Amino acid sequence: MAGNSFGKIFNLTTYGESHGPALGGVIDGCPSGIALDLDAIQEELDRRKPGQSAIVTQRKEPDTVKFHSGIFEGVTTGTSIGFVIENTNQKSHDYSHIKDSYRPSHADYTYDKKYGVRDYRGGGRSSARETACRVVAGAIAKQMLKGIEIKAYVSGVGTMKLNTPYNEIDLSLVESNIVRCPDLEMAKKMETYIKEVRGKGDTVGGIVSCVIKNVPVGLGEPVFDKLHAELGKAMLSINAVKGFEYGSGFHGSTMYGSEHNDAFNNDGTTKTNYSGGIQGGISNGMDIYFSVAFKPVATLIQKYETIDKEGNTVEMQGKGRHDPCVVPRAVPIVEAMAALVLADFHLINKLYN
């Protein structure tokens, strides 16, 4: 299997399966001399871990990260940073019923056809549990990117959508509720809806929006490595993501150029920011903002028809512990992937100096 690494200079390679002994990763390219707050890294993992509230999977994992190399007395040494997150609460028997069958909209069928073998326990390598490794690396990247603020939040669940512009939202409220929506009234409605969906044995999708402030001018490489292109790749690599848009996004296609152009102020800032902080694939110093659409979780705790390895129609019902809606736990993952992209471009820029 290829495709387990992300980034050109600040590079993360991950390994491990959902129900294996552990997950882990190796970070190459991290500069030396960065004083790390290890507690802050663990706090990021705690935001992503399962079992943290009544509206997420009840798998109980401490998700404690252990660093094996690359850090000495709390400071990066410039060598590879190796880390591991042990799996302690696997219930592999929950998946024995799918050993010879394919769950719809999962990776079961494609993995089996591509590799001729698959780890059916929780999806194995295709499980979203792999994203814990991204959060570790993203937390380190955040600490390297001093002054840059990356803040994601839930802006939609099902048909409920928070349409308030990000600059009119109090983003300090994101962590004040289990949905991670900064509008407290909307958060309550979303929480109630997610619980109703879970009660039916069903799932629902949602949207995570992200704002990046204090980005310097000049991050991003034309022509194929545009900043927004790399952000898009990063977000689309997250499990269950079906869409990415930045700046004015699809709405921009309905506007006139006279409306959409971001007129300059004398200091180089712009009066509007339909560009989403990126022009010509390069950051222009304005806020970067984007949204990421997540599909409903494919595992349903209700009966449905599918096929087995022989192509026979079989009846199946999901078992195990699953999120009825992934977006509350996806917030730190989106932030982490954004941080990895910016960290990589930050180091690429240093090549010019």
Side-chain angles (χ1 to χ4, degrees), residues 2 25 38 47 112 115 120 128 141 147 149 152 164 173 190 194 233 248 286 298 305 337 344:
L38 300 182
R47 295 171 68 208
D112 208 10
Y115 300 109
Y120 59 84
E149 179 185 344
T164 309
L173 298 176
M190 289 176 172
I194 293 172
K233 176 184 177 180
S248 62
M286 301 294 289
E305 285 189 348
M337 293 307 297
D344 205 28

Side-chain angles (χ1 to χ4, degrees), residues 62-271:
D63 278 2
T64 302
V65 61
K66 298 177 182 178
F67 290 100
H68 289 170
S69 63
I71 302 171
F72 181 68
E73 295 182 342
V75 178
T76 59
T77 62
T79 60
S80 296
I81 299 175
F83 62 89
V84 66
I85 303 166
E86 294 179 354
N87 290 325
T88 64
N89 191 223
Q90 310 98 311
K91 291 187 178 180
S92 300
H93 62 272
D94 284 345
Y95 299 92
S96 58
H97 67 297
I98 66 167
K99 182 176 181 293
D100 298 310
S101 300
Y102 302 125
R103 295 167 296 175
S105 291
H106 273 277
D108 298 346
Y109 178 82
T110 52
Y111 267 54
D112 208 10
K113 293 301 179 183
K114 181 175 178 66
Y115 300 109
V117 62
R118 69 182 173 99
D119 184 346
Y120 59 84
R121 304 167 303 167
R125 184 67 176 155
S126 69
S127 170
R129 183 146 177 73
E130 178 271 337
T131 59
C133 301
R134 306 177 188 215
V135 172
V136 173
I140 292 174
K142 280 184 177 181
Q143 295 189 37
M144 188 185 91
L145 296 166
K146 296 185 184 302
I148 295 178
E149 179 185 344
I150 304 172
K151 196 70 174 179
Y153 60 95
V154 173
S155 60
V157 170
T159 59
M160 290 182 286
K161 189 173 181 181
L162 183 61
N163 292 312
T164 309
Y166 75 86
N167 50 11
E168 297 177 16
I169 295 173
D170 184 356
L171 295 177
S172 69
L173 298 176
V174 172
E175 295 296 321
S176 69
N177 60 85
I178 59 177
V179 180
R180 294 200 166 97
C181 175
D183 183 302
L184 301 187
E185 184 177 346
M186 179 65 81
K188 290 180 181 178
K189 293 178 181 178
M190 289 176 172
E191 179 183 346
T192 299
Y193 183 53
I194 293 172
K195 288 178 178 178
E196 290 174 356
V197 169
R198 163 172 260 168
K200 297 175 183 177
D202 215 330
T203 62
V204 67
I207 299 173
V208 174
S209 295
C210 186
V211 184
I212 311 176
K213 294 178 175 291
N214 306 319
V215 180
V217 178
L219 298 187
E221 299 293 320
V223 167
F224 296 110
D225 294 338
K226 292 180 171 70
L227 177 53
H228 59 275
E230 291 301 308
L231 284 171
K233 176 184 177 180
M235 300 308 145
L236 289 165
S237 75
I238 301 172
N239 309 62
V241 170
K242 287 295 184 181
F244 169 81
E245 65 173 353
Y246 78 101
S248 62
F250 287 95
H251 174 67
S253 67
T254 68
M255 302 171 68
Y256 293 113
S258 55
E259 298 175 283
H260 192 270
N261 284 349
D262 293 321
F264 284 105
N265 296 310
N266 290 336
D267 62 357
T269 60
T270 57
K271 299 181 187 300

